[in-house]
Amino acid sequence: MEMNEDRKFGLEKSHGDHLSNHSSGVSADWQFNTPAMSAAPPHPCTAASLVPPLTSSPFLSAPMAEAFVPGLWNHHATSVGGSNIQNTTSAINSIPIGRPVAMSSKGMLLSTPPLIFPPSLPHFPADSGFIERAARFSCLSGGGFMDVNLLRPSQSVAPARKASKVVMETQVQNSELSMTADKVVSLPAAYGSIDQSRMDTRRDRRSPHISNSESQETNFCEGGQDGNVDSSGNSSPSDLGANKRKRTIQDMEKDQVQRGPQSSSEATETKHKVEQNSSKHGGNNGKDNSEAAEEGYVHVRARRGQATNSHSLAERVRREKISERMKYLQELVPGCSKVTGKAVMLDEIINYVQSLQRQVEFLSMKLAAVNPQLDFSVERLLAKNLREFHGSPLSIAGFSQEMSYPRVYPSQQGLGHAGSSTMVNPSDAYRRTMNTQLPTTSGYKELSMQMHNPWNEEIVMQMDYDANHPPNAQEMNRKPDGFAI
Amino acid sequence: MQVTEAFKHAFLKQMLLGFQASAVSTKSMGFQERKNAIKLSADVAMAVARGSRKWTRGLIAGLSEERQNRSFLRLILGEQYESLLKPCHSSWKIPRCKKIVRRSLRVCWRKQKKNQSGVLARTLVEKRTQELKRLVPGGESMDGSSLLDETLDYVLSLRAQVDLMQSLLTTFEASKLSRSGWRLKGRGKAKAYTVVAWEEHVLWRKYMRRR
């Protein structure tokens, strides 16, 4: 029991490390949630307290959790295989996902802590609404308790059979959380041989290492993340690749490794049931083992009065997944709250997507129409639009630096203005200004206006200049336009 | 709903880079060409800003089908471009073991024989699923639930794209208006605005006629 807990925390710690690595390494926008999440302090909380952190950071979502969890499992799998998990619970800087299986002593921490979101996660729609819905869903499904066996992917034997029993966690909220987390994600693992490859692709798609799993593909926005994953050694188990056999071998080893510690695991019920199931389905070990071993899986309990046929269980799981997604989409697509039924919903979704695409087309046409009278001034656009999006001056500075490439263009474009070559200068001056002082938003606006509209002399002169831009004034004086300052 | 600022940020930046790369305003392009270039750079920006998803890969693959886009794509994406395209077409088909597929089909058939009532509903859903697969880039190779996943993501990004382009448009129009409006002053401003609107209207009509 202790071992498992510690392993879990160690795992989360390694995740936290990965997170910090990622936040620096990731160039694109995968780090939606790390700022938010690392800010939120870990608290031993129930699912209820999970909701506040979630609502505070709107980016978080259970689907993110779902994407995150396989990452968690992968990491775990690797660490277990490498047996290099540290037993540090203190160093967790990000909030670990709750281990659904109840631990008596460390139950507090385990019980539905908030979720960690590695920056590499694809971001899914989410809010507390989803968690609640998922919670409701889990209640509705009655006996359909889902369990994420974070630490026992080796119990793939059972889940691979899909007919495995479910461990009832002591805390329902745990189950809810885990359900949200793993239901969507780990369900694939619960599939049998039929859905194997589908499972793999699905899981891989959701995992942060997806690009790695596609052996030839490189991820074009997750450089840092990928590097970390690769270095963690066992990312290959999560490879879908074409190397099922190779994976099988690795997973068999892992299974054996995990089988040992798990004998001392807390989940007595699970173990028994798992063994029952494994004894039942002694036959098809190979591939299914590898499947579940890698992914982590969900125990699905057959509901009362329903067929316990493995196929029907898998189908039920699949159907539930799809309905869950449909609920999401229902929220997303406007005017679909009253619609019930897959066909009509799909209709609405199709219409919405078509209308959005048409809108893009139309807007691009309008932009083309507007364009000839206006040259694309990068900095000016940046200034204006970033002001609209989020008026953080530093971002402009970042932009300007990154725009070194297109900066060549403004000078090349026949602006027909004497000050065209000074386009280069303002950005330098601007950057310097931004670095030296942080003007207020209003000051920033004026700054941007005056910096980036060499040809809008009228506008510039109409603006009131802030007193706190003396450096600008000096720079501006260099311009041949001779802006009045 | 959950589109982050960082995403919008990267999106805008990428789009402007794309505009610059295609030199939209310098070359004497026709209206259609300009529109296509804008749309192309907007789509690429959306895909790049979003990161690696099935639909982004599908989108870029689809865009690179046309020769004229390829140089632009190569410019924008750099070395990622080649690596993106390499495994694309081969991996679109999810490799499935024939035995397993056959077994599952057999089970499905058995179920269908028992349950004829749901057939109509199923075909309706299937038809729509096919349609959705056509709409979402890279959708052909996805299965049911992942298709919905990707649709979700795609819808969010499309929305962000629309918002972003809208704000760009207003920015342009505002600056254009101010450029001409400031000189005219007062009533002239309104006049300038109507001139702009009229020009756009003319172009819109031309565009619609061509379609």
Side-chain angles (χ1 to χ4, degrees):
Chain A
M1 192 182 290
E2 277 300 315
M3 227 189 330
N4 283 340
E5 295 168 5
D6 292 337
R7 218 177 296 139
K8 173 199 157 218
F9 293 133
L11 168 65
E12 281 136 3
K13 170 170 192 261
S14 63
H15 242 282
D17 292 338
H18 279 282
L19 274 176
S20 45
N21 287 341
H22 299 165
S23 10
S24 50
V26 175
S27 57
D29 313 310
W30 295 103
Q31 38 182 340
F32 307 128
N33 305 299
T34 21
M37 279 323 295
S38 43
H43 25 86
C45 50
T46 61
S49 60
L50 176 66
V51 173
L54 277 177
T55 48
S56 62
S57 44
F59 322 120
L60 299 181
S61 60
M64 286 216 54
E66 104 194 44
F68 157 71
V69 170
L72 194 60
W73 293 328
N74 288 334
H75 276 289
H76 172 71
T78 68
S79 48
V80 164
S83 65
N84 53 4
I85 298 186
Q86 308 311 316
N87 292 344
T88 52
T89 64
S90 53
I92 299 174
N93 56 352
S94 44
I95 298 149
I97 199 170
R99 179 121 205 311
V101 182
M103 303 282 206
S104 53
S105 53
K106 306 212 178 138
M108 283 306 278
L109 263 174
L110 286 173
S111 56
T112 48
L115 311 165
I116 312 178
F117 292 101
S120 61
L121 276 183
H123 93 289
F124 274 94
D127 28 41
S128 48
F130 176 66
I131 297 286
E132 284 153 15
R133 227 181 318 113
R136 260 182 276 130
F137 182 89
S138 73
C139 297
L140 280 176
S141 52
F145 300 116
M146 305 300 190
D147 174 32
V148 181
N149 254 324
L150 293 177
L151 300 186
R152 281 175 297 165
S154 72
Q155 291 181 2
S156 51
V157 184
R161 314 308 170 233
K162 306 151 308 229
S164 56
K165 309 300 177 4
V166 171
V167 178
M168 179 53 199
E169 298 95 4
T170 58
Q171 310 193 7
V172 177
Q173 287 153 344
N174 278 344
S175 70
E176 287 171 2
L177 172 64
S178 58
M179 199 216 66
T180 64
D182 34 274
K183 184 180 180 44
V184 188
V185 180
S186 54
L187 283 182
Y191 286 5
S193 54
I194 293 171
D195 297 329
Q196 246 181 43
S197 45
R198 251 194 302 157
M199 257 180 348
D200 279 345
T201 52
R202 219 177 291 129
R203 176 188 57 82
D204 284 342
R205 238 175 279 122
R206 254 180 251 111
S207 80
H209 320 303
I210 173 180
S211 63
N212 282 337
S213 60
E214 317 283 333
S215 43
Q216 295 106 11
E217 280 180 328
T218 58
N219 214 348
F220 54 100
C221 280
E222 299 181 35
Q225 160 75 2
D226 294 346
N228 285 335
V229 166
D230 281 331
S231 62
S232 73
N234 266 354
S235 57
S236 46
S238 63
D239 273 345
L240 176 54
N243 307 333
K244 279 193 180 173
R245 282 197 200 96
K246 212 200 282 180
R247 235 191 13 230
T248 311
I249 297 170
Q250 288 172 358
D251 294 328
M252 294 300 272
E253 293 170 353
K254 261 193 293 171
D255 285 352
Q256 284 149 18
V257 170
Q258 289 148 357
R259 213 52 74 78
Q262 281 158 17
S263 57
S264 59
S265 78
E266 71 301 340
T268 54
E269 281 183 53
T270 317
K271 203 171 55 114
H272 293 325
K273 282 162 188 169
V274 160
E275 282 167 4
Q276 282 175 25
N277 289 332
S278 54
S279 59
K280 254 191 263 173
H281 308 268
N284 339 334
N285 258 341
K287 277 189 188 165
D288 297 341
N289 249 349
S290 62
E291 285 304 306
E294 304 174 39
E295 310 190 4
Y297 48 86
V298 170
H299 297 282
V300 182
R301 168 174 274 166
R303 281 185 232 165
R304 183 186 167 87
Q306 287 200 350
T308 51
N309 185 18
S310 60
H311 291 302
S312 58
L313 270 178
E315 291 241 355
R316 185 161 65 90
V317 153
R318 183 179 143 271
R319 251 182 289 131
E320 283 165 354
K321 252 179 48 171
I322 289 190
S323 60
E324 212 172 308
R325 306 275 161 76
M326 298 286 288
K327 275 188 232 164
Y328 254 154
L329 282 168
Q330 217 172 17
E331 282 185 13
L332 200 61
V333 177
C336 265
S337 42
K338 304 161 197 159
V339 171
T340 48
K342 262 203 239 174
V344 190
M345 262 303 300
L346 281 175
D347 237 359
E348 291 298 316
I349 292 168
I350 287 171
N351 284 337
Y352 190 54
V353 169
Q354 273 173 345
S355 79
L356 281 175
Q357 284 174 341
R358 258 183 267 128
Q359 248 184 315
V360 167
E361 188 91 24
F362 174 59
L363 280 173
S364 72
M365 188 221 71
K366 284 194 95 180
L367 275 173
V370 161
N371 192 25
Q373 291 87 359
L374 222 57
D375 295 314
F376 278 105
S377 157
V378 169
E379 284 98 354
R380 182 166 55 117
L381 291 178
L382 288 177
K384 283 191 179 173
N385 284 285
L386 283 178
R387 204 192 323 145
E388 288 166 30
F389 284 149
H390 50 210
S392 91
L394 291 176
S395 58
I396 287 290
F399 256 52
S400 309
Q401 280 155 10
E402 290 150 14
M403 289 299 197
S404 53
Y405 160 75
R407 254 196 304 147
V408 179
Y409 284 81
S411 45
Q412 284 174 0
Q413 296 171 5
L415 286 182
H417 273 277
S420 63
S421 56
T422 65
M423 276 295 289
V424 182
N425 297 334
S427 55
D428 289 324
Y430 179 65
R431 204 179 312 137
R432 250 169 279 146
T433 313
M434 300 315 289
N435 289 335
T436 52
Q437 40 178 228
L438 294 180
T440 60
T441 312
S442 59
Y444 159 77
K445 281 185 198 170
E446 289 145 16
L447 168 68
S448 57
M449 287 306 289
Q450 79 196 25
M451 293 303 287
H452 306 307
N453 300 335
W455 54 78
N456 282 348
E457 301 100 343
E458 302 92 336
I459 296 181
V460 165
M461 283 149 76
Q462 304 264 346
M463 292 275 189
D464 293 325
Y465 289 97
D466 249 8
N468 59 348
H469 299 302
N472 279 352
Q474 289 162 16
E475 303 299 341
M476 297 289 285
N477 281 333
R478 281 198 275 120
K479 286 195 195 172
D481 301 279
F483 287 159
I485 291 176
Chain B
M1 228 181 8
Q2 313 78 358
V3 180
T4 62
E5 290 297 333
F7 169 67
K8 288 196 240 174
H9 201 96
F11 194 156
L12 177 64
K13 175 184 123 188
Q14 275 298 324
M15 183 138 76
L16 294 175
L17 272 175
F19 286 160
Q20 300 268 327
S22 57
V24 171
S25 47
T26 42
K27 284 199 230 154
S28 54
M29 304 164 103
F31 173 69
Q32 274 288 6
E33 296 156 18
R34 223 185 1 251
K35 171 200 151 262
N36 291 336
I38 290 176
K39 180 154 193 293
L40 173 66
S41 79
D43 286 339
V44 171
M46 176 168 73
V48 170
R50 188 63 189 89
S52 179
R53 301 276 311 189
K54 278 227 150 188
W55 66 264
T56 56
R57 282 194 285 265
L59 182 62
I60 294 192
L63 286 175
S64 58
E65 297 272 303
E66 312 185 18
R67 295 201 162 271
Q68 57 204 10
N69 298 342
R70 285 195 199 153
S71 56
F72 175 78
L73 282 169
R74 211 167 278 125
L75 191 64
I76 287 285
L77 293 176
E79 70 279 354
Q80 297 167 349
Y81 178 66
E82 306 300 330
S83 52
L84 272 175
L85 284 196
K86 241 192 307 168
C88 248
H89 297 287
S90 56
S91 66
W92 274 158
K93 277 287 180 184
I94 302 170
R96 291 194 157 106
C97 170
K98 275 194 183 162
K99 196 164 47 154
I100 294 167
V101 172
R102 241 180 280 140
R103 205 192 306 160
S104 68
L105 279 175
R106 232 179 291 143
V107 173
C108 276
W109 268 114
R110 253 182 254 131
K111 279 190 124 189
Q112 277 194 6
K113 280 184 197 146
K114 292 185 221 158
N115 169 29
Q116 287 294 323
S117 54
V119 164
L120 176 63
R122 203 173 299 134
T123 41
L124 280 179
V125 169
E126 273 169 16
K127 270 201 185 148
R128 284 163 173 81
T129 314
Q130 289 300 317
E131 174 98 32
L132 192 60
K133 281 188 180 176
R134 264 191 290 123
L135 278 179
V136 174
E140 274 82 9
S141 59
M142 304 183 210
D143 62 333
S145 52
S146 56
L147 177 68
L148 290 178
D149 252 349
E150 298 293 319
T151 310
L152 203 64
D153 217 50
Y154 183 56
V155 163
L156 282 174
S157 314
L158 272 183
R159 253 206 229 161
Q161 187 180 35
V162 165
D163 288 336
L164 198 135
M165 291 178 82
Q166 194 104 59
S167 63
L168 258 187
L169 194 64
T170 50
T171 305
F172 277 139
E173 284 181 344
S175 54
K176 184 157 110 174
L177 175 67
S178 59
R179 230 186 3 151
S180 43
W182 280 114
R183 294 200 193 95
L184 298 173
K185 284 187 204 174
R187 220 164 15 119
K189 235 195 294 187
K191 189 174 168 194
Y193 187 72
T194 49
V195 166
V196 167
W198 177 247
E199 284 169 1
E200 286 190 16
H201 174 71
V202 165
L203 286 164
W204 167 240
R205 260 198 301 166
K206 226 195 310 177
Y207 175 68
M208 289 310 278
R209 234 179 280 134
R210 269 189 238 195
R211 289 179 124 274

